Amino acid sequence: WKSGDVVVLQAKDGTLPDSMAVAVADRASGDKVQTVCVIPLPDISGDHVMAFLTLALTPRRPYDSEAAIFAYYLRDILVKSASAIFLPEEHRRARQKFEQVEASLAQQLRATTLETERLESRFARMAHLAPVGMYAITPDSRTTFYNQAYLDITGITEQAIEARTDPLEYLHTDDREKVMSAWIVCLEDKQSFTLEYRISKEWSQTDPISGETMTGDTWVLATAAPELDDDGNIIHVQGWLLDISGQKYHEKSRIQQIENEQSEDRFARMAAEAPMGMYLLKPTGQPLYLNDAYFDIIGFTREEFEEAERRGLGWADQIHEEDRGFVGEAWLALAQEGVPLNLHYRVKKPWNYIDEATGTQMTGETWLQSTAFSEIGHDGQVVAVQGFVFDVSLKKFSERLLS
């Protein structure tokens, strides 16, 4: 009571006595009073309370900032009116004019204070819920403000902040030098900066479409600006951190995709012009890629190969009957167990060769040398077979002559 403040009693917090929570006839449809303001009225000296004003608010209206302003304004009016009764008339008039000005200023001040408090509360909630990391750090590296997003993005804990752990410890080792350089320029030249750099914490996210887990470096886009006092000295540096790890991950993936596509284009051009047969097969033997030289060496046209495919034989249809056994065993070891393949075998296509120097025509069986290896997937299983085929018939013919 000595402070002269308005006391608010409410049913919702249990401070309103049952004796005051009554219904007023013909008011608010007979609903009980939910909020009562008890207003002390001091004497002119302000040392004693002359009376108490009990103000019951309609239950149809909440007790908010406007109601609070009205209660304080009513208290000031009543106190001043009671005091004015004991003052001389002229003194009373002067005091009345002064009090009108004072009451107006007080009302404006209270309204401004309440609005400021609402704004501060609103901005505090926004800073706490914002997905952007916010912080304020003094020139001696003391963190005076941070929000939850700042902790989530950087991986820094509240305990580390209280212990004043060096923030550089949370930066990627390759980026510490450039961050420190930007920070020094900010402090010495009092200039703001914007910088992309990495945090030592690993980034991980699940792709909502594919369900794939994406991992990589944590990248942030940082903006910092110094706040100065009246003398031009830095009070602290305010900063904002935006997590751009997902953007960086997809940029890197896109670059890798373009490089792979360019590599595939180069490989396709090279394979099309290569003198040796090149192939990429499924573990079942079905072709994924065959170059033109492959058909020439095996002795198939593409149409004949497709016909053999429909009969369930494919390239095996051209292998010499006597060599199919060990070729088939080697293929199974390669396709099922990943054992590399390097062997010589014959195909049905006859071999003919004319010596350009002597004009001698040589004929015989077509011998091939095949080298192949398997491509292993993430589960350890063979997913494809890559290989090369060379025609070594002339070599085999020469070896036979020498023997």
Side-chain angles (χ1 to χ4, degrees):
W1 306 119
K2 291 183 179 180
S3 66
D5 288 335
V6 176
V7 178
V8 181
L9 305 177
Q10 293 184 302
K12 66 179 182 180
D13 58 12
T15 58
L16 181 65
D18 294 337
S19 58
M20 291 185 173
V22 297
V24 180
D26 300 326
R27 297 287 183 177
S29 301
D31 292 341
K32 291 184 178 182
V33 173
Q34 301 294 316
T35 304
V36 173
C37 295
V38 180
I39 305 173
L41 303 176
D43 59 12
I44 192 170
S45 65
D47 297 330
H48 304 285
V49 176
M50 294 186 298
F52 293 94
L53 173 64
T54 302
L55 181 64
L57 274 66
T58 173
R60 297 297 181 83
R61 177 186 177 90
Y63 183 77
D64 53 15
S65 58
E66 293 182 359
I69 292 174
F70 173 77
Y72 278 91
Y73 182 70
L74 181 61
R75 181 203 64 176
D76 293 342
I77 293 296
L78 292 176
V79 169
K80 293 174 178 59
S81 299
S83 301
I85 297 174
F86 302 95
L87 293 175
E89 184 65 20
E90 293 183 1
H91 189 193
R92 185 180 63 80
R93 280 199 217 99
R95 184 175 180 84
Q96 185 179 16
K97 186 175 182 180
F98 172 77
E99 288 175 351
Q100 288 176 351
V101 175
E102 184 182 31
S104 177
L105 293 175
Q107 185 177 2
Q108 293 178 20
L109 178 61
R110 182 168 296 279
T112 302
T113 302
L114 291 172
E115 182 64 21
T116 302
E117 291 175 352
R118 281 200 301 269
L119 290 175
E120 289 179 350
S121 176
R122 185 181 305 161
F123 285 127
R125 289 195 301 271
M126 289 175 60
H128 179 72
L129 299 175
V132 178
M134 302 180 182
Y135 65 88
I137 299 179
T138 61
D140 60 352
S141 299
R142 183 169 54 90
T143 304
T144 58
F145 171 80
Y146 56 88
N147 66 347
Q148 185 61 44
Y150 174 77
L151 302 178
D152 296 338
I153 293 173
T154 61
I156 299 176
T157 62
E158 294 183 350
Q159 294 76 12
I161 291 177
E162 293 175 0
R164 299 187 64 178
T165 304
D166 188 354
L168 285 178
E169 293 185 10
Y170 293 89
L171 303 182
H172 194 286
T173 53
D174 294 341
D175 292 349
R176 290 180 182 179
E177 184 176 349
K178 72 175 181 180
V179 174
M180 179 55 68
S181 299
W183 183 260
I184 292 174
V185 172
C186 176
L187 295 180
E188 292 182 351
D189 299 342
K190 300 180 177 61
Q191 294 181 356
S192 61
F193 68 85
T194 299
L195 188 66
E196 292 183 1
Y197 58 87
R198 289 166 291 178
I199 304 295
S200 58
K201 184 188 74 170
E202 184 184 43
W203 173 78
S204 176
Q205 189 178 68
T206 300
D207 190 311
I209 299 176
S210 66
E212 177 188 358
T213 299
M214 302 175 291
T215 59
D217 294 325
T218 298
W219 278 90
V220 298
L221 175 61
T223 300
E227 182 177 352
L228 309 179
D229 60 18
D230 295 337
D231 297 326
N233 299 316
I234 295 179
I235 304 172
H236 53 241
V237 176
Q238 300 176 346
W240 299 266
L241 297 178
L242 180 63
D243 191 334
I244 58 172
S245 306
Q247 175 184 334
K248 287 291 186 180
Y249 176 87
H250 290 295
E251 286 178 358
K252 183 178 179 181
S253 299
R254 180 54 182 162
I255 293 173
Q256 185 64 46
Q257 180 183 358
I258 292 174
E259 291 177 349
N260 290 341
E261 290 174 353
Q262 292 174 344
S263 297
E264 290 174 359
D265 290 341
R266 288 193 295 268
F267 173 80
R269 290 193 298 270
M270 179 188 69
E273 300 173 1
M276 79 286 289
M278 302 177 67
Y279 58 86
L280 179 64
L281 307 177
K282 294 181 179 180
T284 58
Q286 293 177 311
L288 296 173
Y289 174 79
L290 302 171
N291 69 345
D292 293 337
Y294 177 85
F295 291 99
D296 293 338
I297 293 174
I298 290 290
F300 262 150
T301 63
R302 289 187 180 271
E303 292 75 15
E304 291 171 341
F305 180 82
E306 291 172 0
E307 175 61 27
E309 279 280 289
R310 285 191 288 270
R311 290 187 284 111
L313 294 174
W315 55 269
D317 190 41
Q318 277 296 95
I319 298 177
H320 195 286
E321 288 81 357
E322 295 179 3
D323 294 349
R324 285 184 182 178
F326 71 86
V327 172
E329 293 176 359
W331 168 259
L332 289 177
L334 171 65
Q336 296 178 2
E337 303 174 16
V339 179
L341 179 149
N342 187 7
L343 47 80
H344 294 79
Y345 59 90
R346 292 166 293 176
V347 292
K348 294 178 180 179
K349 183 186 76 169
W351 175 72
N352 293 283
Y353 181 78
I354 298 176
D355 190 318
E356 295 181 357
T358 63
T360 303
Q361 181 176 2
M362 294 170 280
T363 60
E365 296 175 320
T366 297
W367 279 88
L368 305 182
Q369 179 182 354
S370 181
T371 302
F373 58 91
S374 60
E375 181 180 339
I376 307 298
H378 296 295
D379 57 356
Q381 300 296 317
V382 176
V383 296
V385 172
Q386 304 176 38
F388 306 90
V389 176
F390 305 89
D391 189 329
V392 292
S393 304
L394 180 60
K395 177 184 176 183
K396 287 289 187 180
F397 183 85
S398 300
E399 289 175 353
R400 188 170 68 254
L401 289 179
L402 292 173
S403 64

